[in-house]
Amino acid sequence: MTYYADLTPYTYFAHNPQGGSAGLWRGVSVVNVGWLARGRRYPKGVAPAGLVETLKHMRRTHRAQQTRGLHSCPWCAYRLFGARADCPQGSAEIRVMGREIAYAAPELISHYVEGHDYLPPDNFVEAVLSVAPAT
């Protein structure tokens, strides 16, 4: 997976008619959140209550862009020495609307928060937690 620093402008599918600024996202600034990579530092902390559960729910409800192939968690895959049977994988993005801005994140973001203590930016967390709770 490609690394993007949090809150940088989203460009990955910017010219794809099914992603980027098309459709629902036309005219809305979209920024990156949670595009982590081994060897790059990221903010760590304790996730607010409900964040992991809501992000897991959003993998089904807020899936915005399917990508080709599967991406494995870089930390779990490394620990398992390439044996990826137990390593979480993802192949899509989720999108969430914040206050006048949208966030694009890999669907593995819930795993990064739960399994690797990633603490996303406050505004992203607020946007996620404003979504109806997972049922």
Side-chain angles (χ1 to χ4, degrees):
M1 182 171 73
T2 303
Y3 168 80
Y4 296 105
D6 283 348
L7 307 179
T8 57
Y10 176 85
T11 58
Y12 190 70
F13 280 113
H15 302 293
N16 182 327
Q18 295 179 2
S21 61
L24 173 64
W25 312 105
R26 184 177 304 283
V28 175
S29 294
V30 181
V31 296
N32 299 302
V33 172
W35 298 94
L36 308 180
R38 281 186 51 78
R40 300 274 191 153
R41 291 184 180 191
Y42 60 89
K44 292 184 177 186
V46 176
L51 181 62
V52 170
E53 293 77 16
T54 304
L55 285 170
K56 286 179 180 179
H57 177 72
M58 292 176 94
R59 288 181 72 166
R60 295 184 308 279
T61 61
H62 287 67
R63 198 174 194 160
Q65 183 67 47
Q66 181 66 44
T67 59
R68 292 185 176 202
L70 288 173
H71 168 73
S72 298
C73 170
W75 295 279
C76 293
Y78 179 78
R79 277 197 304 257
L80 296 171
F81 303 104
R84 297 184 176 183
D86 295 337
C87 183
Q89 296 180 321
S91 65
E93 296 177 358
I94 62 169
R95 300 272 176 96
V96 61
M97 188 67 197
R99 294 182 184 168
E100 300 179 16
I101 196 164
Y103 302 94
E107 68 178 329
L108 282 179
I109 192 169
S110 58
H111 170 72
Y112 296 156
V113 172
E114 183 176 43
H116 303 289
D117 300 322
Y118 168 58
L119 189 59
D122 291 342
N123 289 342
F124 173 79
V125 171
E126 179 182 318
V128 169
L129 292 177
S130 72
V131 172
T135 55

